[in-house]
Amino acid sequence: MSEKPQETALSKCPGCEEPLEPGDLFCGACGYDLSAVPAPPKDRPTIALATPPAPSAAPAGSTASAADVPDVPDTSDAPDAGSGDFELAAPDPAAAAAPVPAAGSAPDPRTPAAEPVAAAPAAGGKVCVACRAGRVDDDGYCENCGHAQPRERDHMEQELGSVAAVSDRGLRHHRNEDSFAVSTTALPDGSPAVVAIVCDGVSSASRPDEASAAAASAANESLLEALPRGTHPQQAMHDAILAAAEAVNALAREPGPAAEHEQHRRQNAPACTLVGSIMANGLLVVGWVGDSRAYWVPDDRTAGPARLTEDDSWAAQMVAAGLMNEAEAYADARAHAITGWLGADAYDLEPHTASFKPDRSGLVVVCTDGLWNYAESAAELAAAVPADASQRPLHGAQVLVGHALDGGGHDNVTVALVPFAVEPQGAGSACGTS
C-alpha cells in the first residue's frame, strides 16, 4: 500500500474497526481518513477467502492484463463495497470423506448416518470456496452455506510464454488495489520483447484500484505500439510511463461511482505507483515512479543479486541525504510516504529509467511493496525466490506471494517474474542508466 504524506496516531480504524499499522494514513479496509478522529472501538479482524483460479496461458505475441505516443526527448533520471469476508468453520473431514452412493442405489447400512450435505454442483458449476460443496449462484453467493465468494480481482494469475505474474488482496485489505500487465511482442528484426508492468494504487487517494488498472493497461499498450516500430526500449519505457500518467490523470476528470466504503475517504485524485521491465535484444530496461521495485536475481546464486530501482519515498530521501541508514529510515513510521506517483495531484512527474546488459542468465522480479516489505534487501528477496523460478516463473511468483502472506499479508501483493537468458559465450557485460 503506497501512501501520500500525512500523519496519524491511531491503532484501529473508527469506521470499520480494522487494526492499523504505525504510520497508516487511511484505513486500508474502508478508506477512513485517520487525520483527526476519536478513539476506535474494539477490533474484529476478518479472514480472507481468496483462492487462486486456474492459470491460463495465452499464445506468444499476445498480451494479458490484470485490468482488462509519439517519442519525446528522454528526461529520465539515473538509478468497493464490503469485503465479503467471514469467520468460517473448517469443513467437516468426516463429511468430506463419506462415500457418496451411486445414483439410484440404497445407502450402505454399514455407513454411519451423517448430517445432510448439499448436492455436488452441476458439471461446470463454480464450487464455493468456503464449504467446498455448494454451487455459487449468479449473484456470487453459495447456495449451500450462503457465503459471498471472493471477487475476481482478489487473486489474479497470468502466465504468458516466459513471463508470469500473480496478484493477491492479502490478509488485511478488503480489496486488491494492485494491478499488472504482461505481454510479448516482436522488434522490427523479429526478435522477441517481453514486458511486465506492476502498479500499486495509492490507498489514501480516491479509486486507487481504478488508477492502478488504468496505468498498467496504458503503459502496456504504449509499449506494444512503440517496440515493434523500432523505438529504443529505454525511450519506449519513458514514454509508456507518461502514457500511464495521462491515463490516471484522466480518471480525475471523470466522475467515479460512489461507493459506501469510500464515504470517509478524502477525495484526492486517483493515484498509483508504477514499475516495469522490458527484455529485448539482450538489454534489460526498467522504469518506475514511486516505491514499487525491480530486483535482479542471477540463476547462479553465488553471484550477488541487486536492486535495480530507487524508491521515491521519504525513507529513500533520508538515506540519500545521509540523515539515516536504511535500517533506521525504513523502521520509521514515515518510511512509506511516497514522494513520487502517477496522478493529477502529483508533483513534477519524473519518470525514472535504467538499462542494463547482464552477462549471465537470471530473473527480473518486478513487485509492489506488499512483497518487499517482507524481503527488503536484494539478498533477502533472492533467498525467497525458488531455485527453479526461471524455468517455472508462475510457480515462482506464487511462492513469492505466499512468502508475503506467510509474513502477515498486511498489504496487497503483486509480483511479476521475467526470466532473462544469456548465452554462455556472451562474456563481458555493460551496464548503463539514464
Side-chain angles (χ1 to χ4, degrees), residues 124-196:
K126 187 176 180 181
V127 180
C128 174
V129 301
C131 68
R132 311 290 186 189
R135 189 182 74 85
V136 179
D137 64 22
D138 293 339
D139 294 325
Y141 290 86
C142 176
E143 294 180 344
N144 177 42
C145 67
H147 285 105
Q149 303 301 292
R151 288 159 295 185
E152 181 179 357
R153 190 163 166 173
D154 283 355
H155 186 95
M156 303 175 289
E157 298 186 356
Q158 186 67 51
E159 186 171 37
L160 187 65
S162 63
V163 59
V166 176
S167 182
D168 192 272
R169 187 186 73 185
L171 305 180
R172 288 274 305 277
H173 287 271
H174 79 294
R175 67 178 176 188
N176 190 357
E177 296 172 354
D178 289 355
S179 193
F180 68 79
V182 293
S183 59
T184 61
T185 187
L187 302 179
D189 62 3
S191 61
V194 180
V195 170

Side-chain angles (χ1 to χ4, degrees), residues 7 12 53 56 64 69 107 141 186 236 239 264 268 304 322 336 377 395 408 411-412 423 426-427 429:
E7 296 182 3
K12 300 172 187 176
S56 60
V69 286
Y141 290 86
D239 297 345
H264 301 297
N268 295 333
H336 287 271
S377 71
H395 174 260
D411 199 357
N412 308 143
E423 296 297 326
S429 68

Side-chain angles (χ1 to χ4, degrees), residues 296-306 360-365 378-392 396 399-400 417:
W296 168 255
V297 179
D299 289 345
D300 178 4
R301 298 302 175 86
T302 62
R360 65 198 69 198
S361 297
L363 189 71
V364 185
V365 181
E380 290 172 329
L381 187 128
V385 175
D388 63 349
S390 289
Q391 291 73 46
R392 302 170 65 198
V399 169
L400 288 173
L417 297 186

Side-chain angles (χ1 to χ4, degrees), residues 7-421:
E7 296 182 3
T8 181
L10 297 173
S11 60
K12 300 172 187 176
C13 174
C16 68
E17 305 176 16
E18 186 76 4
L20 303 172
E21 291 293 310
D24 279 354
L25 309 176
F26 288 77
C27 175
C30 71
Y32 201 105
D33 186 347
L34 303 170
S35 56
V37 291
K42 186 178 179 181
D43 171 44
R44 294 196 307 268
T46 59
I47 296 177
L49 298 180
T51 57
S56 60
S62 61
T63 178
S65 173
D68 173 274
V69 286
D71 294 344
V72 298
D74 190 346
T75 58
S76 53
D77 290 353
D80 284 88
S83 69
D85 295 343
F86 299 89
E87 295 273 3
L88 298 177
D92 184 351
V100 179
S105 65
D108 189 336
R110 296 167 297 175
T111 303
E115 292 294 324
V117 296
K126 187 176 180 181
V127 180
C128 174
V129 301
C131 68
R132 311 290 186 189
R135 189 182 74 85
V136 179
D137 64 22
D138 293 339
D139 294 325
Y141 290 86
C142 176
E143 294 180 344
N144 177 42
C145 67
H147 285 105
Q149 303 301 292
R151 288 159 295 185
E152 181 179 357
R153 190 163 166 173
D154 283 355
H155 186 95
M156 303 175 289
E157 298 186 356
Q158 186 67 51
E159 186 171 37
L160 187 65
S162 63
V163 59
V166 176
S167 182
D168 192 272
R169 187 186 73 185
L171 305 180
R172 288 274 305 277
H173 287 271
H174 79 294
R175 67 178 176 188
N176 190 357
E177 296 172 354
D178 289 355
S179 193
F180 68 79
V182 293
S183 59
T184 61
T185 187
L187 302 179
D189 62 3
S191 61
V194 180
V195 170
I197 302 291
V198 166
C199 296
D200 182 356
V202 175
S203 62
S204 57
S206 304
R207 301 152 63 195
D209 52 336
E210 295 180 45
S212 64
S217 177
N220 185 63
E221 290 176 6
S222 177
L223 289 170
L224 292 182
E225 288 181 9
L227 293 171
R229 67 170 184 253
T231 305
H232 188 278
Q234 191 164 356
Q235 180 66 50
M237 178 63 79
H238 178 269
D239 297 345
I241 294 174
L242 295 179
E246 178 53 35
V248 178
N249 292 349
L251 294 177
R253 301 190 289 267
E254 301 172 359
E260 182 181 350
H261 66 268
E262 295 212 354
Q263 62 182 330
H264 301 297
R265 185 186 298 276
R266 180 172 296 175
Q267 295 301 301
N268 295 333
C272 69
T273 68
L274 180 149
V275 62
S277 72
I278 303 171
M279 182 185 70
N281 263 345
L283 193 67
L284 168 61
V285 171
V286 295
W288 72 98
V289 172
D291 63 350
S292 294
R293 295 180 175 180
Y295 292 83
W296 168 255
V297 179
D299 289 345
D300 178 4
R301 298 302 175 86
T302 62
R307 197 173 96 198
L308 306 179
T309 58
E310 294 292 338
D311 298 345
D312 290 318
S313 70
W314 180 91
Q317 285 190 342
M318 294 299 103
V319 174
L323 300 177
M324 292 182 175
N325 61 38
E326 281 202 359
E328 294 170 336
Y330 284 100
D332 193 283
R334 297 164 290 182
H336 287 271
I338 57 175
T339 57
W341 61 85
L342 305 181
D345 62 351
Y347 305 131
D348 292 338
L349 177 62
E350 296 183 15
H352 310 292
T353 64
S355 63
F356 307 90
K357 194 165 187 180
D359 61 355
R360 65 198 69 198
S361 297
L363 189 71
V364 185
V365 181
V366 185
C367 64
T368 61
D369 60 348
L371 172 61
W372 66 253
N373 278 334
Y374 301 100
E376 196 279 327
S377 71
E380 290 172 329
L381 187 128
V385 175
D388 63 349
S390 289
Q391 291 73 46
R392 302 170 65 198
L394 179 59
H395 174 260
Q398 293 167 337
V399 169
L400 288 173
V401 169
H403 177 80
L405 298 181
D406 290 344
H410 288 179
D411 199 357
N412 308 143
V413 53
T414 301
V415 56
L417 297 186
V418 185
F420 192 105

